[in-house]
Amino acid sequence: MNTQISFGGKAVSEKNDAIDVQNINTQLFIDGKFIAAKNGGTIDVLNPANGELITKIAAAEAEDVDLAVKAAQKAFPVWAETPAAERGRLLLKLADLIEENLEELAQLESLDTGHPIRDSRRLDVPRTAACFRYFGGMADKIEGSVIPVEQGFLNYVLREPIGVVGQIVPWNFPLMFTSWKLGPALAAGNVVVMKPSEITPLSTLKIAELIKQAGFPDGVVNIVPGYGQTAGQRLADHPDIGKISFTGSTQTGRNIVNASSGNLKRVQLELGGKGANIVFEDADIDAAVNGAAWAIFHNQGQACIAGSRLVLHEKIADQFLQKFIALAESIRLGNPLDADTEMGPLTSQAHRDKVLSYAKIAVEQGGKILTGGVAPDDESLKNGFYVLPTVVEAKATDRVAQEEVFGPFVTVLRFKDDAEALEIANSTEYGLGSGLWTNNLQRAHRFAKKIKAGMCWINSYKRVNPGSPFGGVGKSGYGREMGFEAIHDYTEVKSVWVNVDAQIPPHFQRGES
Ligand code: NAD
């Protein structure tokens, strides 16, 4: 599961049955039933590898979201009082079903998002199952505490579920993010209304089927694919939703905070990033080259934690770039469903156009394109939303070094000494992923402490594990997914005071009674 992909390495050849698009689930999942949207609206879901229609799915609007929230409210008392071990058992069962359906889920995810199938099989689906399993195991370990207060009192702290939780998922890792959000929310006893991205809803709708098969009570999980402006907006402003968990762009995160203010719902935001991946002069260059390629080219660079700024010590920069560019140029672009493909298309045409526009922006500001910056000219890829692996050299203040491009697009920046490396690393408004390549132990820990980021990887990049907190600082958002942090974020804390044998002198003396 944690295999570091070796770009340019030997590809595995695995069986690749076509999925039957007729069997793809396309309806809303509300109160345990698959139903059409009230107004009958649909959304076209396109295959990013060729721009063709895969299927049309139901488009939830505000009234569908309201229905889902009602179903969730009805299910809440039952779910919250279900023994924690039983909630955990259902999550573990769901993890098993995900593994049993690995091939179908992997193919759906690749078809819908453009993830290379070898990544969907080895990473997305196993990580999704692992995340549900982690939180399944945690459900009956969510403990309160007893506080040593003054004599005569027992003070204990309960962690209680919040109630109905709204979850808004983006298009870059739809399957995996479903588990990151549902896992802790359900383990802690909450009920959920989840909106997948309108661009990539298919694997989440398959998860809805597996949730039903696992035996979760009706209404505990409701899935309402729809557009952000309608369904997403309604989740954010709904008066009966107690918390919103959102992953996506910083601007949408801001909109959600504003919309959530009506009932002061809790908000957890996992937003953009501009990860600095710093290579020092003493680093193992070959390991850093491979790790830096993984950091930016995995999932076509569509990752909030991508190492999209490659910060190189000037002494090793030329040697590093020679190897890095050769590796970038050797990456096999192709049909995501082909087991040999190392990089697929970007997930939507609009996004591909945005990524390509940054090549122009880089040059306008004096940057230099070292490779890529265009779509491939291969005839077989011409209808898909492909971009060649792109390496650009620029200044730390340029837009390509400050703004999230969210594609296979890395900006190279050079530094002279540690102070300059740190200044560059901390020079954006984001603070999510970061990486260091060095064999100097003291420098590694010094940087890990000083770098402005929610996560720092030393001599690796982009490691994730369900037990390790994930999230950012600054414009990368707040709150954490995964681990105990996530569970705590899905609970309300109640402090209970019991007078066991305290003698409290009356505050208001009124003479003898
Ligand atoms: P987005 O933030 O608009 O969409 C993410 C999710 O939010 C989708 O489910 C969408 O339907 C929903 N949404 C959109 N507007 C909403 C609103 N007003 N209220 C509630 N929900 C709303 O992201 P995008 O436009 O698809 O991508 C734009 C940029 O965002 C990307 O280029 C990238 O920089 C960034 N992004 C980051 C992540 C991440 O993992 N942090 C994921 C996707 C996109």
Side-chain angles (χ1 to χ4, degrees), residues 168-172 177 195-198 226-229 232-233 246-249 252 255-256 270-272 304 351 354 404 406:
I168 302 176
V169 182
W171 44 262
N172 53 336
F177 288 163
K195 191 194 87 59
S197 166
E198 59 274 31
Y227 290 108
Q229 302 297 332
Q233 174 73 24
F246 170 75
T247 302
S249 63
T252 305
N255 295 343
I256 285 171
E270 205 273 276
L271 308 175
C304 46
H351 186 58
K354 177 184 153 188
E404 187 178 45
F406 217 63

PDB file of all heavy atoms in Angstrom, residues 168-172 177 195-198 226-229 232-233 246-249 252 255-256 270-272 304 351 354 404 406, ligand 1:
ATOM      1  N   ILE A 168     -18.390  17.812   1.850  1.00  0.00           N
ATOM      2  CA  ILE A 168     -18.281  18.212   0.434  1.00  0.00           C
ATOM      3  C   ILE A 168     -16.915  17.767  -0.087  1.00  0.00           C
ATOM      4  O   ILE A 168     -15.883  18.147   0.463  1.00  0.00           O
ATOM      5  CB  ILE A 168     -18.479  19.740   0.294  1.00  0.00           C
ATOM      6  CG1 ILE A 168     -19.856  20.129   0.857  1.00  0.00           C
ATOM      7  CG2 ILE A 168     -18.354  20.159  -1.172  1.00  0.00           C
ATOM      8  CD1 ILE A 168     -20.146  21.618   0.858  1.00  0.00           C
ATOM      9  N   VAL A 169     -16.970  16.954  -1.134  1.00  0.00           N
ATOM     10  CA  VAL A 169     -15.775  16.250  -1.615  1.00  0.00           C
ATOM     11  C   VAL A 169     -15.374  16.804  -2.983  1.00  0.00           C
ATOM     12  O   VAL A 169     -16.242  17.083  -3.805  1.00  0.00           O
ATOM     13  CB  VAL A 169     -16.091  14.731  -1.715  1.00  0.00           C
ATOM     14  CG1 VAL A 169     -14.874  13.936  -2.152  1.00  0.00           C
ATOM     15  CG2 VAL A 169     -16.623  14.198  -0.384  1.00  0.00           C
ATOM     16  N   PRO A 170     -14.075  16.951  -3.250  1.00  0.00           N
ATOM     17  CA  PRO A 170     -13.631  17.440  -4.559  1.00  0.00           C
ATOM     18  C   PRO A 170     -13.423  16.286  -5.544  1.00  0.00           C
ATOM     19  O   PRO A 170     -13.718  15.127  -5.237  1.00  0.00           O
ATOM     20  CB  PRO A 170     -12.314  18.111  -4.227  1.00  0.00           C
ATOM     21  CG  PRO A 170     -11.740  17.267  -3.141  1.00  0.00           C
ATOM     22  CD  PRO A 170     -12.917  16.737  -2.355  1.00  0.00           C
ATOM     23  N   TRP A 171     -12.831  16.618  -6.696  1.00  0.00           N
ATOM     24  CA  TRP A 171     -12.733  15.647  -7.784  1.00  0.00           C
ATOM     25  C   TRP A 171     -11.380  14.973  -7.901  1.00  0.00           C
ATOM     26  O   TRP A 171     -11.184  14.130  -8.755  1.00  0.00           O
ATOM     27  CB  TRP A 171     -13.079  16.315  -9.118  1.00  0.00           C
ATOM     28  CG  TRP A 171     -12.454  17.680  -9.297  1.00  0.00           C
ATOM     29  CD1 TRP A 171     -13.071  18.881  -9.074  1.00  0.00           C
ATOM     30  CD2 TRP A 171     -11.112  17.993  -9.688  1.00  0.00           C
ATOM     31  NE1 TRP A 171     -12.198  19.924  -9.298  1.00  0.00           N
ATOM     32  CE2 TRP A 171     -10.987  19.397  -9.686  1.00  0.00           C
ATOM     33  CE3 TRP A 171     -10.005  17.228 -10.046  1.00  0.00           C
ATOM     34  CZ2 TRP A 171      -9.810  20.056 -10.013  1.00  0.00           C
ATOM     35  CZ3 TRP A 171      -8.818  17.885 -10.377  1.00  0.00           C
ATOM     36  CH2 TRP A 171      -8.733  19.271 -10.357  1.00  0.00           C
ATOM     37  N   ASN A 172     -10.411  15.356  -7.056  1.00  0.00           N
ATOM     38  CA  ASN A 172      -9.060  14.815  -7.304  1.00  0.00           C
ATOM     39  C   ASN A 172      -8.841  13.418  -6.733  1.00  0.00           C
ATOM     40  O   ASN A 172      -8.183  12.605  -7.366  1.00  0.00           O
ATOM     41  CB  ASN A 172      -7.975  15.805  -6.860  1.00  0.00           C
ATOM     42  CG  ASN A 172      -8.116  16.273  -5.446  1.00  0.00           C
ATOM     43  OD1 ASN A 172      -9.204  16.247  -4.882  1.00  0.00           O
ATOM     44  ND2 ASN A 172      -7.030  16.697  -4.856  1.00  0.00           N
ATOM     45  N   PHE A 177     -11.177  10.251  -0.452  1.00  0.00           N
ATOM     46  CA  PHE A 177     -11.704  11.296   0.440  1.00  0.00           C
ATOM     47  C   PHE A 177     -13.058  10.899   1.035  1.00  0.00           C
ATOM     48  O   PHE A 177     -13.434  11.360   2.112  1.00  0.00           O
ATOM     49  CB  PHE A 177     -11.822  12.632  -0.304  1.00  0.00           C
ATOM     50  CG  PHE A 177     -10.492  13.294  -0.586  1.00  0.00           C
ATOM     51  CD1 PHE A 177     -10.380  14.303  -1.530  1.00  0.00           C
ATOM     52  CD2 PHE A 177      -9.348  12.925   0.112  1.00  0.00           C
ATOM     53  CE1 PHE A 177      -9.161  14.927  -1.787  1.00  0.00           C
ATOM     54  CE2 PHE A 177      -8.119  13.537  -0.138  1.00  0.00           C
ATOM     55  CZ  PHE A 177      -8.024  14.549  -1.104  1.00  0.00           C
ATOM     56  N   LYS A 195     -21.813  15.357  -0.370  1.00  0.00           N
ATOM     57  CA  LYS A 195     -21.928  15.737  -1.779  1.00  0.00           C
ATOM     58  C   LYS A 195     -20.603  15.486  -2.476  1.00  0.00           C
ATOM     59  O   LYS A 195     -19.629  16.196  -2.242  1.00  0.00           O
ATOM     60  CB  LYS A 195     -22.284  17.219  -1.921  1.00  0.00           C
ATOM     61  CG  LYS A 195     -22.657  17.552  -3.362  1.00  0.00           C
ATOM     62  CD  LYS A 195     -22.677  19.037  -3.635  1.00  0.00           C
ATOM     63  CE  LYS A 195     -21.342  19.587  -4.026  1.00  0.00           C
ATOM     64  NZ  LYS A 195     -20.739  18.999  -5.235  1.00  0.00           N
ATOM     65  N   PRO A 196     -20.575  14.482  -3.369  1.00  0.00           N
ATOM     66  CA  PRO A 196     -19.355  14.320  -4.170  1.00  0.00           C
ATOM     67  C   PRO A 196     -19.284  15.430  -5.203  1.00  0.00           C
ATOM     68  O   PRO A 196     -20.266  16.145  -5.445  1.00  0.00           O
ATOM     69  CB  PRO A 196     -19.538  12.957  -4.838  1.00  0.00           C
ATOM     70  CG  PRO A 196     -20.977  12.613  -4.732  1.00  0.00           C
ATOM     71  CD  PRO A 196     -21.605  13.494  -3.687  1.00  0.00           C
ATOM     72  N   SER A 197     -18.136  15.569  -5.840  1.00  0.00           N
ATOM     73  CA  SER A 197     -18.007  16.567  -6.898  1.00  0.00           C
ATOM     74  C   SER A 197     -18.895  16.179  -8.078  1.00  0.00           C
ATOM     75  O   SER A 197     -19.025  14.999  -8.412  1.00  0.00           O
ATOM     76  CB  SER A 197     -16.553  16.645  -7.353  1.00  0.00           C
ATOM     77  OG  SER A 197     -16.481  17.352  -8.578  1.00  0.00           O
ATOM     78  N   GLU A 198     -19.467  17.182  -8.704  1.00  0.00           N
ATOM     79  CA  GLU A 198     -20.296  16.950  -9.901  1.00  0.00           C
ATOM     80  C   GLU A 198     -19.468  16.330 -11.025  1.00  0.00           C
ATOM     81  O   GLU A 198     -20.001  15.709 -11.939  1.00  0.00           O
ATOM     82  CB  GLU A 198     -20.941  18.262 -10.370  1.00  0.00           C
ATOM     83  CG  GLU A 198     -19.987  19.411 -10.727  1.00  0.00           C
ATOM     84  CD  GLU A 198     -19.573  20.266  -9.528  1.00  0.00           C
ATOM     85  OE1 GLU A 198     -19.495  19.727  -8.395  1.00  0.00           O
ATOM     86  OE2 GLU A 198     -19.317  21.468  -9.724  1.00  0.00           O
ATOM     87  N   GLY A 226     -24.294  16.764  -6.881  1.00  0.00           N
ATOM     88  CA  GLY A 226     -24.958  17.961  -7.408  1.00  0.00           C
ATOM     89  C   GLY A 226     -23.930  19.056  -7.563  1.00  0.00           C
ATOM     90  O   GLY A 226     -22.751  18.877  -7.203  1.00  0.00           O
ATOM     91  N   TYR A 227     -24.357  20.177  -8.103  1.00  0.00           N
ATOM     92  CA  TYR A 227     -23.433  21.295  -8.311  1.00  0.00           C
ATOM     93  C   TYR A 227     -23.148  22.022  -6.991  1.00  0.00           C
ATOM     94  O   TYR A 227     -23.985  22.040  -6.082  1.00  0.00           O
ATOM     95  CB  TYR A 227     -24.023  22.279  -9.323  1.00  0.00           C
ATOM     96  CG  TYR A 227     -24.064  21.713 -10.730  1.00  0.00           C
ATOM     97  CD1 TYR A 227     -25.274  21.336 -11.310  1.00  0.00           C
ATOM     98  CD2 TYR A 227     -22.891  21.552 -11.464  1.00  0.00           C
ATOM     99  CE1 TYR A 227     -25.316  20.817 -12.596  1.00  0.00           C
ATOM    100  CE2 TYR A 227     -22.926  21.030 -12.742  1.00  0.00           C
ATOM    101  CZ  TYR A 227     -24.132  20.662 -13.309  1.00  0.00           C
ATOM    102  OH  TYR A 227     -24.162  20.141 -14.571  1.00  0.00           O
ATOM    103  N   GLY A 228     -21.975  22.654  -6.952  1.00  0.00           N
ATOM    104  CA  GLY A 228     -21.579  23.378  -5.756  1.00  0.00           C
ATOM    105  C   GLY A 228     -22.510  24.530  -5.419  1.00  0.00           C
ATOM    106  O   GLY A 228     -22.887  24.731  -4.264  1.00  0.00           O
ATOM    107  N   GLN A 229     -22.892  25.293  -6.462  1.00  0.00           N
ATOM    108  CA  GLN A 229     -23.709  26.501  -6.224  1.00  0.00           C
ATOM    109  C   GLN A 229     -25.085  26.172  -5.670  1.00  0.00           C
ATOM    110  O   GLN A 229     -25.724  27.023  -5.050  1.00  0.00           O
ATOM    111  CB  GLN A 229     -23.909  27.256  -7.546  1.00  0.00           C
ATOM    112  CG  GLN A 229     -22.638  27.685  -8.227  1.00  0.00           C
ATOM    113  CD  GLN A 229     -21.860  28.666  -7.371  1.00  0.00           C
ATOM    114  OE1 GLN A 229     -22.435  29.392  -6.568  1.00  0.00           O
ATOM    115  NE2 GLN A 229     -20.546  28.661  -7.496  1.00  0.00           N
ATOM    116  N   GLY A 232     -24.213  22.114  -2.895  1.00  0.00           N
ATOM    117  CA  GLY A 232     -23.128  22.430  -1.962  1.00  0.00           C
ATOM    118  C   GLY A 232     -23.496  23.618  -1.088  1.00  0.00           C
ATOM    119  O   GLY A 232     -23.330  23.592   0.139  1.00  0.00           O
ATOM    120  N   GLN A 233     -24.035  24.637  -1.730  1.00  0.00           N
ATOM    121  CA  GLN A 233     -24.435  25.849  -1.004  1.00  0.00           C
ATOM    122  C   GLN A 233     -25.489  25.526   0.065  1.00  0.00           C
ATOM    123  O   GLN A 233     -25.433  26.011   1.193  1.00  0.00           O
ATOM    124  CB  GLN A 233     -24.980  26.855  -2.021  1.00  0.00           C
ATOM    125  CG  GLN A 233     -25.580  28.118  -1.448  1.00  0.00           C
ATOM    126  CD  GLN A 233     -24.527  29.085  -0.903  1.00  0.00           C
ATOM    127  OE1 GLN A 233     -23.374  29.037  -1.323  1.00  0.00           O
ATOM    128  NE2 GLN A 233     -24.926  29.921   0.035  1.00  0.00           N
ATOM    129  N   PHE A 246     -15.057  20.194   4.429  1.00  0.00           N
ATOM    130  CA  PHE A 246     -14.901  20.547   3.013  1.00  0.00           C
ATOM    131  C   PHE A 246     -13.463  20.346   2.555  1.00  0.00           C
ATOM    132  O   PHE A 246     -12.522  20.752   3.238  1.00  0.00           O
ATOM    133  CB  PHE A 246     -15.297  22.017   2.806  1.00  0.00           C
ATOM    134  CG  PHE A 246     -14.940  22.540   1.429  1.00  0.00           C
ATOM    135  CD1 PHE A 246     -15.692  22.172   0.324  1.00  0.00           C
ATOM    136  CD2 PHE A 246     -13.841  23.375   1.242  1.00  0.00           C
ATOM    137  CE1 PHE A 246     -15.351  22.627  -0.950  1.00  0.00           C
ATOM    138  CE2 PHE A 246     -13.503  23.839  -0.027  1.00  0.00           C
ATOM    139  CZ  PHE A 246     -14.269  23.460  -1.127  1.00  0.00           C
ATOM    140  N   THR A 247     -13.293  19.757   1.392  1.00  0.00           N
ATOM    141  CA  THR A 247     -11.989  19.721   0.726  1.00  0.00           C
ATOM    142  C   THR A 247     -12.167  20.323  -0.656  1.00  0.00           C
ATOM    143  O   THR A 247     -13.078  19.925  -1.395  1.00  0.00           O
ATOM    144  CB  THR A 247     -11.462  18.281   0.604  1.00  0.00           C
ATOM    145  OG1 THR A 247     -11.369  17.716   1.912  1.00  0.00           O
ATOM    146  CG2 THR A 247     -10.080  18.250  -0.042  1.00  0.00           C
ATOM    147  N   GLY A 248     -11.322  21.284  -1.016  1.00  0.00           N
ATOM    148  CA  GLY A 248     -11.432  21.920  -2.326  1.00  0.00           C
ATOM    149  C   GLY A 248     -10.639  23.201  -2.352  1.00  0.00           C
ATOM    150  O   GLY A 248      -9.630  23.340  -1.644  1.00  0.00           O
ATOM    151  N   SER A 249     -11.105  24.154  -3.141  1.00  0.00           N
ATOM    152  CA  SER A 249     -10.316  25.369  -3.341  1.00  0.00           C
ATOM    153  C   SER A 249     -10.483  26.359  -2.185  1.00  0.00           C
ATOM    154  O   SER A 249     -11.490  26.338  -1.470  1.00  0.00           O
ATOM    155  CB  SER A 249     -10.734  26.041  -4.651  1.00  0.00           C
ATOM    156  OG  SER A 249     -12.073  26.438  -4.565  1.00  0.00           O
ATOM    157  N   THR A 252     -13.686  28.547  -2.542  1.00  0.00           N
ATOM    158  CA  THR A 252     -14.932  27.884  -2.141  1.00  0.00           C
ATOM    159  C   THR A 252     -14.964  27.708  -0.624  1.00  0.00           C
ATOM    160  O   THR A 252     -16.020  27.852   0.005  1.00  0.00           O
ATOM    161  CB  THR A 252     -15.077  26.524  -2.857  1.00  0.00           C
ATOM    162  OG1 THR A 252     -14.982  26.749  -4.257  1.00  0.00           O
ATOM    163  CG2 THR A 252     -16.396  25.864  -2.555  1.00  0.00           C
ATOM    164  N   ASN A 255     -16.318  30.795   0.783  1.00  0.00           N
ATOM    165  CA  ASN A 255     -17.782  30.867   0.587  1.00  0.00           C
ATOM    166  C   ASN A 255     -18.504  30.021   1.630  1.00  0.00           C
ATOM    167  O   ASN A 255     -19.552  30.402   2.149  1.00  0.00           O
ATOM    168  CB  ASN A 255     -18.177  30.342  -0.803  1.00  0.00           C
ATOM    169  CG  ASN A 255     -17.627  31.206  -1.921  1.00  0.00           C
ATOM    170  OD1 ASN A 255     -17.223  32.342  -1.682  1.00  0.00           O
ATOM    171  ND2 ASN A 255     -17.604  30.673  -3.141  1.00  0.00           N
ATOM    172  N   ILE A 256     -17.915  28.863   1.912  1.00  0.00           N
ATOM    173  CA  ILE A 256     -18.559  27.954   2.861  1.00  0.00           C
ATOM    174  C   ILE A 256     -18.554  28.547   4.265  1.00  0.00           C
ATOM    175  O   ILE A 256     -19.550  28.475   4.986  1.00  0.00           O
ATOM    176  CB  ILE A 256     -17.889  26.566   2.790  1.00  0.00           C
ATOM    177  CG1 ILE A 256     -18.370  25.882   1.500  1.00  0.00           C
ATOM    178  CG2 ILE A 256     -18.195  25.708   4.011  1.00  0.00           C
ATOM    179  CD1 ILE A 256     -17.688  24.619   1.149  1.00  0.00           C
ATOM    180  N   GLU A 270     -10.053  21.739   4.232  1.00  0.00           N
ATOM    181  CA  GLU A 270      -8.793  21.213   3.699  1.00  0.00           C
ATOM    182  C   GLU A 270      -8.685  21.812   2.306  1.00  0.00           C
ATOM    183  O   GLU A 270      -9.382  21.394   1.387  1.00  0.00           O
ATOM    184  CB  GLU A 270      -8.886  19.690   3.692  1.00  0.00           C
ATOM    185  CG  GLU A 270      -7.542  19.036   3.761  1.00  0.00           C
ATOM    186  CD  GLU A 270      -6.959  18.881   2.402  1.00  0.00           C
ATOM    187  OE1 GLU A 270      -7.279  17.911   1.724  1.00  0.00           O
ATOM    188  OE2 GLU A 270      -6.189  19.800   2.006  1.00  0.00           O
ATOM    189  N   LEU A 271      -7.835  22.847   2.156  1.00  0.00           N
ATOM    190  CA  LEU A 271      -7.871  23.673   0.937  1.00  0.00           C
ATOM    191  C   LEU A 271      -6.615  23.456   0.093  1.00  0.00           C
ATOM    192  O   LEU A 271      -6.065  22.380   0.060  1.00  0.00           O
ATOM    193  CB  LEU A 271      -8.070  25.131   1.337  1.00  0.00           C
ATOM    194  CG  LEU A 271      -9.263  25.368   2.285  1.00  0.00           C
ATOM    195  CD1 LEU A 271      -9.339  26.803   2.748  1.00  0.00           C
ATOM    196  CD2 LEU A 271     -10.568  24.937   1.641  1.00  0.00           C
ATOM    197  N   GLY A 272      -6.199  24.501  -0.577  1.00  0.00           N
ATOM    198  CA  GLY A 272      -5.088  24.342  -1.520  1.00  0.00           C
ATOM    199  C   GLY A 272      -3.727  24.268  -0.843  1.00  0.00           C
ATOM    200  O   GLY A 272      -3.610  24.367   0.376  1.00  0.00           O
ATOM    201  N   CYS A 304      -3.573  18.424  -3.316  1.00  0.00           N
ATOM    202  CA  CYS A 304      -3.325  19.629  -2.522  1.00  0.00           C
ATOM    203  C   CYS A 304      -1.934  19.586  -1.896  1.00  0.00           C
ATOM    204  O   CYS A 304      -1.331  20.620  -1.648  1.00  0.00           O
ATOM    205  CB  CYS A 304      -4.399  19.746  -1.453  1.00  0.00           C
ATOM    206  SG  CYS A 304      -4.676  18.192  -0.603  1.00  0.00           S
ATOM    207  N   HIS A 351     -10.145  22.416 -16.323  1.00  0.00           N
ATOM    208  CA  HIS A 351      -8.963  22.413 -15.463  1.00  0.00           C
ATOM    209  C   HIS A 351      -7.696  22.275 -16.303  1.00  0.00           C
ATOM    210  O   HIS A 351      -6.687  22.920 -16.027  1.00  0.00           O
ATOM    211  CB  HIS A 351      -9.071  21.309 -14.421  1.00  0.00           C
ATOM    212  CG  HIS A 351      -7.956  21.366 -13.440  1.00  0.00           C
ATOM    213  ND1 HIS A 351      -7.713  22.487 -12.658  1.00  0.00           N
ATOM    214  CD2 HIS A 351      -6.954  20.505 -13.156  1.00  0.00           C
ATOM    215  CE1 HIS A 351      -6.646  22.292 -11.935  1.00  0.00           C
ATOM    216  NE2 HIS A 351      -6.160  21.098 -12.216  1.00  0.00           N
ATOM    217  N   LYS A 354      -6.816  25.557 -17.615  1.00  0.00           N
ATOM    218  CA  LYS A 354      -6.257  26.424 -16.566  1.00  0.00           C
ATOM    219  C   LYS A 354      -4.781  26.085 -16.343  1.00  0.00           C
ATOM    220  O   LYS A 354      -3.932  26.982 -16.256  1.00  0.00           O
ATOM    221  CB  LYS A 354      -7.061  26.230 -15.271  1.00  0.00           C
ATOM    222  CG  LYS A 354      -6.517  27.021 -14.104  1.00  0.00           C
ATOM    223  CD  LYS A 354      -7.254  26.753 -12.806  1.00  0.00           C
ATOM    224  CE  LYS A 354      -6.333  26.990 -11.629  1.00  0.00           C
ATOM    225  NZ  LYS A 354      -6.887  26.590 -10.343  1.00  0.00           N
ATOM    226  N   GLU A 404      -1.640  28.040  -6.706  1.00  0.00           N
ATOM    227  CA  GLU A 404      -1.777  26.593  -6.874  1.00  0.00           C
ATOM    228  C   GLU A 404      -2.185  26.276  -8.316  1.00  0.00           C
ATOM    229  O   GLU A 404      -3.261  26.667  -8.757  1.00  0.00           O
ATOM    230  CB  GLU A 404      -2.836  26.064  -5.905  1.00  0.00           C
ATOM    231  CG  GLU A 404      -2.897  24.550  -5.918  1.00  0.00           C
ATOM    232  CD  GLU A 404      -3.913  23.989  -4.941  1.00  0.00           C
ATOM    233  OE1 GLU A 404      -5.039  24.513  -4.885  1.00  0.00           O
ATOM    234  OE2 GLU A 404      -3.585  23.002  -4.254  1.00  0.00           O
ATOM    235  N   PHE A 406      -2.113  23.020  -9.599  1.00  0.00           N
ATOM    236  CA  PHE A 406      -2.878  21.779  -9.436  1.00  0.00           C
ATOM    237  C   PHE A 406      -2.805  20.902 -10.687  1.00  0.00           C
ATOM    238  O   PHE A 406      -3.793  20.347 -11.156  1.00  0.00           O
ATOM    239  CB  PHE A 406      -4.340  22.127  -9.119  1.00  0.00           C
ATOM    240  CG  PHE A 406      -4.998  21.187  -8.141  1.00  0.00           C
ATOM    241  CD1 PHE A 406      -4.543  21.078  -6.845  1.00  0.00           C
ATOM    242  CD2 PHE A 406      -6.098  20.418  -8.506  1.00  0.00           C
ATOM    243  CE1 PHE A 406      -5.160  20.227  -5.938  1.00  0.00           C
ATOM    244  CE2 PHE A 406      -6.720  19.565  -7.607  1.00  0.00           C
ATOM    245  CZ  PHE A 406      -6.246  19.473  -6.313  1.00  0.00           C
TER     246      PHE A 406
HETATM  247  P1  NAD B   1     -14.087  23.672  -5.852  1.00  0.00           P
HETATM  248  O1  NAD B   1     -13.561  24.094  -4.541  1.00  0.00           O
HETATM  249  O2  NAD B   1     -14.966  24.616  -6.592  1.00  0.00           O
HETATM  250  O3  NAD B   1     -14.926  22.298  -5.705  1.00  0.00           O
HETATM  251  C1  NAD B   1     -14.762  21.359  -4.688  1.00  0.00           C
HETATM  252  C2  NAD B   1     -16.138  20.922  -4.186  1.00  0.00           C
HETATM  253  O4  NAD B   1     -16.846  22.048  -3.677  1.00  0.00           O
HETATM  254  C3  NAD B   1     -17.043  20.313  -5.256  1.00  0.00           C
HETATM  255  O5  NAD B   1     -17.806  19.256  -4.691  1.00  0.00           O
HETATM  256  C4  NAD B   1     -17.953  21.479  -5.621  1.00  0.00           C
HETATM  257  O6  NAD B   1     -19.197  21.076  -6.147  1.00  0.00           O
HETATM  258  C5  NAD B   1     -18.134  22.146  -4.281  1.00  0.00           C
HETATM  259  N1  NAD B   1     -18.524  23.554  -4.342  1.00  0.00           N
HETATM  260  C6  NAD B   1     -18.232  24.469  -5.315  1.00  0.00           C
HETATM  261  N2  NAD B   1     -18.778  25.675  -4.998  1.00  0.00           N
HETATM  262  C7  NAD B   1     -19.439  25.512  -3.823  1.00  0.00           C
HETATM  263  C8  NAD B   1     -20.181  26.390  -2.988  1.00  0.00           C
HETATM  264  N3  NAD B   1     -20.373  27.672  -3.293  1.00  0.00           N
HETATM  265  N4  NAD B   1     -20.700  25.901  -1.847  1.00  0.00           N
HETATM  266  C9  NAD B   1     -20.494  24.613  -1.489  1.00  0.00           C
HETATM  267  N5  NAD B   1     -19.809  23.724  -2.245  1.00  0.00           N
HETATM  268  C10 NAD B   1     -19.266  24.174  -3.392  1.00  0.00           C
HETATM  269  O7  NAD B   1     -12.881  23.224  -6.720  1.00  0.00           O
HETATM  270  P2  NAD B   1     -12.776  23.282  -8.307  1.00  0.00           P
HETATM  271  O8  NAD B   1     -13.364  24.549  -8.877  1.00  0.00           O
HETATM  272  O9  NAD B   1     -13.319  22.048  -8.847  1.00  0.00           O
HETATM  273  O10 NAD B   1     -11.199  23.377  -8.463  1.00  0.00           O
HETATM  274  C11 NAD B   1     -10.593  24.660  -8.443  1.00  0.00           C
HETATM  275  C12 NAD B   1      -9.276  24.621  -7.759  1.00  0.00           C
HETATM  276  O11 NAD B   1      -9.434  24.179  -6.416  1.00  0.00           O
HETATM  277  C13 NAD B   1      -8.254  23.659  -8.330  1.00  0.00           C
HETATM  278  O12 NAD B   1      -7.614  24.204  -9.436  1.00  0.00           O
HETATM  279  C14 NAD B   1      -7.354  23.475  -7.145  1.00  0.00           C
HETATM  280  O13 NAD B   1      -6.466  24.555  -7.069  1.00  0.00           O
HETATM  281  C15 NAD B   1      -8.292  23.507  -5.978  1.00  0.00           C
HETATM  282  N6  NAD B   1      -8.697  22.171  -5.495  1.00  0.00           N
HETATM  283  C16 NAD B   1      -8.108  21.702  -4.362  1.00  0.00           C
HETATM  284  C17 NAD B   1      -8.430  20.440  -3.907  1.00  0.00           C
HETATM  285  C18 NAD B   1      -7.804  19.867  -2.673  1.00  0.00           C
HETATM  286  O14 NAD B   1      -7.655  18.660  -2.566  1.00  0.00           O
HETATM  287  N7  NAD B   1      -7.466  20.688  -1.687  1.00  0.00           N
HETATM  288  C19 NAD B   1      -9.355  19.657  -4.589  1.00  0.00           C
HETATM  289  C20 NAD B   1      -9.975  20.184  -5.722  1.00  0.00           C
HETATM  290  C21 NAD B   1      -9.630  21.441  -6.144  1.00  0.00           C
END
